[in-house]
């Protein structure tokens, strides 16, 4: 089995969405490349390469493709020594150059109009003005044609403006190129602003770590710190790596990671995550994860890679633009020559109409604004502590009409405590608790931990033999020669041990000694404060059905479900049962809507992976659940589920608005241009205006109203 190596390239200066699409397409065709994804917003090209191939050769081919399509774009490999973060200043130089060209061209354009030049002098001024502002576009068009890349925005502008000169419409030929380049400048500024807004949302990467070496403190790169090292975080500094506080007490700002606005008090023994900001006290933290595995690294990786998973709308627009431009060119040719040939009409007039038709047809507004809209939605969600792994999942969330939720840790706090002990005659409560504690001594389950906490004494493991855990049911163990069975009703039924059944809204743990039932322990879990309101809010938002899954007995599960107001409850489920139930729910559903599953534990990972949309409560959840999910909620608040759906619906609305607006305006002007009602001036104003408005509208997705 061949290994796949991932390489990342930063394309500094890439501001053409169509060019980004071409770069991605051609990179995919390189022999040895398994896949390639171009993220226009972050200007990153991610390439997956089969390890059997020459990596340097493929890297050079990628750079060659970029150079052919966009010669002015600089390509850097992320793993190279070059620090690409210092290249943002190039934007200003490019904009200044564009502005200078526009001003010089505009002056040359106005001179023959103001001074009313005629003849050759008039032509010369307009021609020089045209070359100054449009020379680069003409060269790009010629270069692309020579490579077989005919139908793009450069070709459209070149044909339209050269055609205008050919029929003697010099001012309009120059004006079209002037306003097109002005529109490109506005687009570059708008896209740059969007990129900065998105980048600011993700500006959580720590710059350094203060590592403690004996009595000295040394400032180092976070990547140099190892597990077990001690780091010091001063007031106002970001916590660079995940760890446990070993000294100090402080309030920390967690909003960068969780979206929570209220500072959290932490002290010795508490876990802190990278990206938190220390507000006041001096903290010493023992590092528990290397920087590459830390929370901040995972968040940055999730969000920065989100654009590689494109929504169906994005894919549609990319394909649409590919075929749309050739169709428009053919349409323009038909408009230019068919009416004059068939009806003996004025050829010059119909060529002019065809040129207007070409000017308005540029698909830039769609190609740029759609991915910006989705990335804005993903960036806005991350600000609230919701990490969405791709535009496809953000779009799918908009289509969810059934939400299936795990109970423990998702709708309830997962913090269990012993609330009642019922011994049989001849035994005491302390004895029942002690036997249960010996049985649960190796358990990582919240119920087992609650029993051990209630027992509160040291347990000598030497007294324990033949420990056996039965998944989803309980444990069997030998303690000082006595056989102890601790578990639920199903375990006792399987073992043939008769019990005294009890009804309770808590979880009932039965205890047996030498296969004889001796008593039970009732353990209660508390419902999260916002669970009930979340279920109500989801129903108001149009979620047709809410379903709760639980491993608890039916009485407990039904009681919690009734209190929360969920539509359906399934209790007494083993881990594998949850997958079967989810598949049954998905089969029962209509094809249109999608099913989301929300869970947090290791046992939920298979269900998260199977659902149309898997949502992990990731703040305290397991790494397995986070890896298997499509969306991660960094806090353990159920209300974030409804927030995520709101963001999804808002993003979809913005994207749909852009599509309808851009295509609507273009269709109207195309028709008007074909019938001679719209001029080139109106066409170019419409094209520039549509692009800028669509891009500015996309930036609204960054703003989240909870």
């Amino acid at each position: 089995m061949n290994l796949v190596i991932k390489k990342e390239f930063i394309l500094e200066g890439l501001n053409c969405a169509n060019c980004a699409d071409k770069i991605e397409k051609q990179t995919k065709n390189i022999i040895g490349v398994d896949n390639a994804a171009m993220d226009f917003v972050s200007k990153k090209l991610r390439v997956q390469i089969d390890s059997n191939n020459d990596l340097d050769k493929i890297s050079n081919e990628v750079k060659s493709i970029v150079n052919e399509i966009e010669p002015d774009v600089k390509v850097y490999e992320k793993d190279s020594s070059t620090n690409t973060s210092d290249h943002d200043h190039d934007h200003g130089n490019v904009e200044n150059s564009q502005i200078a060209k526009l001003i010089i061209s505009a002056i040359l354009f106005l001179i023959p109009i103001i001074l009313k030049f005629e003849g050759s002098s008039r032509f010369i001024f307009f021609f020089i003005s045209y070359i100054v502002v449009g020379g680069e576009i003409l060269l790009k068009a010629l270069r692309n044609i020579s490579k077989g890349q005919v139908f793009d925005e450069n070709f459209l502008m070149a044909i339209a403006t050269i055609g205008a000169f050919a029929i003697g419409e010099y001012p309009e030929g120059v004006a079209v190129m002037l306003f097109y380049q002005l529109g490109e400048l506005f687009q570059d500024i708008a896209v740059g602003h969007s990129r900065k807004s998105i980048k600011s949302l993700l500006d959580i990467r720590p710059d350094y770590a203060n590592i403690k070496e004996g009595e000295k403190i040394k400032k180092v790169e976070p990547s140099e710190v190892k597990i077990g090292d001690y780091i010091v975080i001063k007031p106002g500094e970001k916590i660079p790596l995940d760890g446990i506080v070993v000294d100090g007490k402080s309030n920390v700002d967690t909003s960068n990671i969780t979206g929570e606005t209220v500072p959290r008090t932490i002290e010795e023994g508490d876990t802190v995550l990278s990206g938190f900001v220390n507000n006041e006290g001096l903290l010493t933290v023992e590092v528990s994860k290397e920087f590459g595995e830390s929370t901040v690294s995972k968040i940055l990786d999730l969000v920065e890679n989100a654009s590689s998973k494109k929504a169906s709308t994005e894919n549609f627009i990319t394909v649409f633009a590919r075929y749309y431009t050739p169709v428009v060119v053919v349409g323009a040719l038909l408009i230019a020559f068919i009416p004059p040939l068939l009806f003996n009409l004025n050829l010059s007039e119909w060529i002019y109409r065809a040129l207007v038709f070409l000017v308005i047809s540029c698909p830039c507004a769609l190609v740029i604004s759609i991915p910006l809209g989705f990335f804005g939605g993903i960036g806005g969600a991350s600000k609230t502590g919701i990490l969405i792994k791709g535009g496809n999942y953000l779009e799918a969330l908009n289509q969810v009409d059934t939400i299936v939720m795990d109970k423990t840790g998702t709708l309830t706090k997962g913090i269990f405590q012993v609330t009642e002990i019922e011994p049989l005659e001849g035994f005491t409560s302390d004895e029942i608790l002690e036997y249960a504690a010996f049985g649960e001594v190796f358990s990582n389950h919240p119920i087992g931990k609650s029993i051990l906490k209630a027992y509160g004494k040291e347990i000598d493991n030497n007294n324990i033999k033949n420990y056996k855990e039965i998944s989803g049911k309980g444990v069997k163990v030998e303690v000082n020669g006595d056989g102890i069975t601790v578990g639920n009703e199903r375990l006792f039924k399987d073992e043939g041990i008769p019990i005294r059944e009890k009804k309770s809204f808590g979880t009932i743990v039965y205890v047996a000694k030498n296969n004889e039932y001796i008593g039970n322990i009732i353990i209660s879990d508390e419902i999260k404060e916002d669970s009930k309101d979340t279920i109500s809010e989801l129903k108001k938002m149009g979620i047709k059905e809410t379903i709760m899954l639980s491993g608890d007995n039916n009485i407990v599960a039904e009681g919690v479900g009734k209190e929360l107001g969920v539509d359906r409850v399934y209790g007494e489920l083993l881990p594998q049962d949850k997958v079967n139930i989810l598949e049954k729910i998905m089969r029962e559903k209509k094809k249109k809507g999608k099913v989301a599953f929300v869970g947090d534990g290791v046992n939920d990972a298979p269900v998260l992976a199977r659902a149309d949309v898997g949502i992990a409560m990731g703040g305290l959840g397991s790494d397995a659940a986070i890896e298997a999910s499509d969306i991660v909620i960094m806090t353990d608040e159920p209300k974030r589920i409804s927030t995520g759906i709101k963001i999804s619906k808002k993003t979809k609305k913005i994207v749909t608005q852009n599509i309808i607006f851009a295509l609507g305006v273009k269709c109207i002007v195309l028709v008007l241009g074909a019938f001679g009602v719209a001029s080139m001036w109106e066409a170019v104003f419409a094209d520039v205006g549509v692009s800028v408005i669509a891009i500015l509208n996309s930036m609204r997705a960054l703003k989240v109203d909870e």
Side-chain angles (χ1 to χ4, degrees):
M1 184 175 170
N2 296 333
L3 292 172
V4 174
I5 296 171
K6 295 180 181 179
K7 269 189 167 290
E8 190 169 283
F9 300 86
I10 291 93
L11 277 56
E12 196 60 57
L14 180 67
N15 292 312
C16 169
N18 271 339
C19 302
D21 180 46
K22 290 175 191 171
I23 290 168
E24 177 182 279
K25 189 179 177 183
Q26 290 193 30
T27 303
K28 285 179 179 178
N29 293 332
I30 296 174
I31 296 171
V33 170
D34 284 352
N35 193 25
M38 180 70 230
D39 179 359
F40 173 67
V41 179
S42 64
K43 299 177 287 186
K44 291 179 181 177
L45 176 64
R46 298 177 179 90
V47 184
Q48 294 181 6
I49 305 169
D50 191 307
S51 59
N52 289 337
N53 291 275
D54 187 334
L55 300 182
D56 290 335
K57 183 183 176 184
I58 290 175
S59 293
N60 290 331
E61 284 188 62
V62 170
K63 291 173 183 177
S64 177
I65 287 169
V66 176
N67 185 57
E68 285 180 5
I69 296 172
E70 281 284 334
D72 297 327
V73 169
K74 296 176 182 177
V75 184
Y76 304 97
E77 287 188 47
K78 192 178 178 182
D79 56 358
S80 69
S81 58
T82 309
N83 182 5
T84 58
S85 62
D86 294 330
H87 292 279
D88 288 344
H89 62 270
D90 287 347
H91 288 295
N93 295 335
V94 171
E95 287 172 10
N96 291 338
S97 173
Q98 285 178 288
I99 292 168
K101 284 181 182 178
L102 285 168
I103 292 171
I104 293 168
S105 179
I107 292 170
L108 292 169
F109 172 72
L110 291 172
I111 287 173
I113 295 174
I114 295 170
L115 300 179
K116 297 180 181 178
F117 286 170
E118 297 292 338
S120 59
S121 58
R122 180 172 181 268
F123 171 79
I124 289 169
F125 269 92
F126 282 131
F127 182 74
I128 295 173
S129 173
Y130 175 74
I131 293 299
V132 169
V133 75
E136 184 183 358
I137 299 294
L138 296 177
L139 288 173
K140 281 184 180 179
L142 286 171
R143 187 172 63 243
N144 291 345
I145 290 169
S146 69
K147 296 169 190 168
Q149 302 165 17
V150 179
F151 299 109
D152 62 9
E153 67 277 12
N154 298 304
F155 174 78
L156 293 176
M157 288 302 112
I159 293 297
T161 52
I162 290 171
F165 266 80
I167 60 174
E169 297 288 348
Y170 311 140
E172 293 200 21
V174 178
V176 165
M177 197 62 84
L178 263 172
F179 283 113
Y180 173 73
Q181 290 284 50
L182 181 64
E184 289 290 293
L185 177 63
F186 283 148
Q187 284 179 27
D188 289 350
I189 293 170
V191 170
H193 183 70
S194 292
R195 283 171 170 163
K196 286 176 184 176
S197 298
I198 292 164
K199 189 178 178 183
S200 68
L201 290 176
L202 303 177
D203 188 24
I204 58 176
R205 187 188 299 275
D207 300 317
Y208 59 88
N210 301 314
I211 190 168
K212 195 172 183 180
E213 296 178 342
E215 295 301 315
K216 294 182 180 180
I217 295 175
K218 183 181 176 184
K219 190 177 283 189
V220 298
E221 290 285 329
S223 57
E224 295 177 28
V225 182
K226 298 174 182 177
I227 295 172
D229 285 345
Y230 291 93
I231 56 173
V232 174
I233 301 97
K234 300 172 186 176
E237 291 184 335
K238 290 176 188 170
I239 296 176
L241 299 105
D242 296 1
I244 297 169
V245 177
V246 294
D247 187 41
K249 182 177 180 180
S250 180
N251 284 328
V252 294
D253 179 357
T254 68
S255 59
N256 282 336
I257 304 300
T258 67
E260 294 175 298
T261 55
V262 180
R264 186 184 298 178
T265 301
I266 54 104
E267 55 190 16
E268 190 175 329
D270 288 340
T271 298
V272 290
L273 303 178
S274 51
F276 287 0
V277 178
N278 183 20
N279 284 339
E280 44 188 46
L282 188 70
L283 297 173
T284 302
V285 173
E286 183 180 356
V287 176
S288 60
K289 289 183 181 178
E290 292 184 354
F291 183 68
E293 293 299 314
S294 65
T295 299
V296 72
S297 292
K298 286 189 175 181
I299 289 174
L300 288 167
D301 184 62
L302 283 175
V303 179
E304 288 177 351
N305 286 296
S307 291
S308 62
K309 296 170 183 173
K310 296 179 181 177
S312 57
T313 306
E314 291 181 87
N315 289 324
F316 164 74
I317 290 300
T318 302
V319 175
F320 174 84
R322 201 174 294 155
Y323 294 103
Y324 164 80
T325 307
V327 168
V328 166
V329 172
V330 172
L333 287 171
L334 294 174
I335 290 170
F337 297 109
I338 296 301
L341 288 173
L342 294 181
F343 306 106
N344 198 28
L345 298 173
N346 187 297
L347 179 63
S348 179
E349 180 185 341
W350 283 92
I351 288 176
Y352 180 81
R353 293 185 184 187
L355 296 176
V356 172
F357 194 82
L358 285 177
V359 168
I360 191 59
S361 65
C362 184
C364 292
L366 289 171
V367 176
I368 295 175
S369 66
I370 305 309
L372 270 181
F374 279 106
F375 201 86
I378 291 167
S382 70
K383 192 178 180 181
T384 69
I386 303 168
L387 305 181
I388 301 172
K389 295 184 180 180
N392 52 338
Y393 304 124
L394 182 63
E395 188 171 58
L397 191 58
N398 179 67
Q399 300 168 329
V400 167
D401 63 6
T402 301
I403 297 184
V404 183
M405 292 167 278
D406 181 51
K407 180 182 80 70
T408 305
T410 301
L411 294 171
T412 64
K413 292 182 179 179
I415 302 171
F416 293 85
Q417 57 183 5
V418 174
T419 55
E420 186 181 341
I421 301 174
E422 185 181 59
L424 286 191
E425 191 176 341
F427 293 90
T428 66
S429 295
D430 288 343
E431 286 177 313
I432 301 300
L433 184 59
E434 184 175 55
Y435 285 131
F438 273 88
E440 298 285 1
V441 67
F442 299 119
S443 175
N444 285 317
H445 194 280
I447 289 175
K449 287 181 178 179
S450 70
I451 291 173
L452 291 168
K453 185 178 180 182
Y455 181 61
K457 299 176 185 176
E458 285 287 329
I459 295 176
D460 186 356
N461 293 345
N462 293 323
N463 296 329
I464 299 171
K465 295 179 181 178
N466 301 323
Y467 179 88
K468 182 182 180 184
E469 186 169 347
I470 299 95
S471 179
K473 295 178 182 179
V475 294
K476 293 181 68 179
V477 68
E478 192 178 307
V479 180
N480 295 324
D482 293 319
I484 303 298
T485 305
V486 182
N488 57 27
E489 187 178 342
R490 283 171 294 168
L491 175 60
F492 277 67
K493 189 176 181 180
D494 291 348
E495 295 295 320
I497 303 173
I499 60 173
R500 184 186 295 173
E501 289 191 19
K502 182 178 180 68
K503 292 186 177 181
S504 171
F505 286 119
T507 299
I508 305 170
V509 176
Y510 297 97
V511 182
K513 180 180 179 182
N514 296 325
N515 291 327
E516 286 190 15
Y517 171 66
I518 61 172
N520 63 67
I521 299 172
I522 297 174
I523 296 167
S524 299
D525 184 13
E526 192 178 343
I527 294 172
K528 291 181 181 177
E529 289 82 358
D530 59 339
S531 290
K532 189 172 182 178
D533 290 339
T534 297
I535 300 297
S536 177
E537 180 71 16
L538 289 171
K539 290 181 178 180
K540 288 177 185 175
M541 293 171 65
I543 299 300
K544 293 177 182 176
E545 192 172 27
T546 53
I547 301 168
M548 189 182 81
L549 308 184
S550 175
D552 288 334
N553 67 62
N554 285 320
I555 296 172
V556 175
E558 290 287 350
V560 173
K562 187 176 180 181
E563 186 173 342
L564 293 175
V566 297
D567 300 308
R568 263 198 282 173
V569 175
Y570 292 89
E572 300 184 4
L573 299 176
L574 296 173
Q576 59 268 30
D577 295 334
K578 292 181 181 180
V579 176
N580 296 333
I581 292 292
L582 180 73
E583 289 181 341
K584 178 188 171 187
I585 292 166
M586 293 174 76
R587 284 195 301 270
E588 290 172 354
K589 274 196 53 56
K590 293 179 181 177
K591 290 182 180 179
K592 269 190 176 181
K594 292 189 181 295
V595 177
F597 177 80
V598 189
D600 74 315
V602 175
N603 292 337
D604 294 329
V607 208
L608 286 165
R610 179 66 186 86
D612 292 326
V613 182
I615 303 173
M617 305 291 279
L620 299 174
S622 70
D623 288 343
I626 292 172
E627 289 298 321
S629 64
D630 308 312
I631 297 170
V632 180
I633 296 175
M634 288 305 297
T635 65
D636 282 330
E637 300 170 292
K639 70 178 181 181
R640 299 292 178 187
I641 303 168
S642 55
T643 301
I645 293 174
K646 284 178 186 174
I647 292 168
S648 172
K649 289 184 181 297
K650 180 182 178 182
T651 303
K652 183 67 175 178
K653 183 180 177 182
I654 288 170
V655 167
T656 304
Q657 284 173 350
N658 284 346
I659 292 172
I660 293 171
F661 173 69
L663 288 180
V665 172
K666 286 181 182 293
C667 286
I668 290 169
V669 181
L670 282 172
V671 172
L672 293 176
F675 283 96
V677 178
S679 68
M680 274 199 188
W681 298 87
E682 290 161 330
V684 75
F685 271 120
D687 182 46
V688 171
V690 166
S691 297
V692 174
I693 290 170
I695 292 168
L696 292 174
N697 190 42
S698 295
M699 291 164 60
R700 289 174 48 228
L702 286 164
K703 298 176 182 177
V704 178
D705 303 316
E706 290 194 60

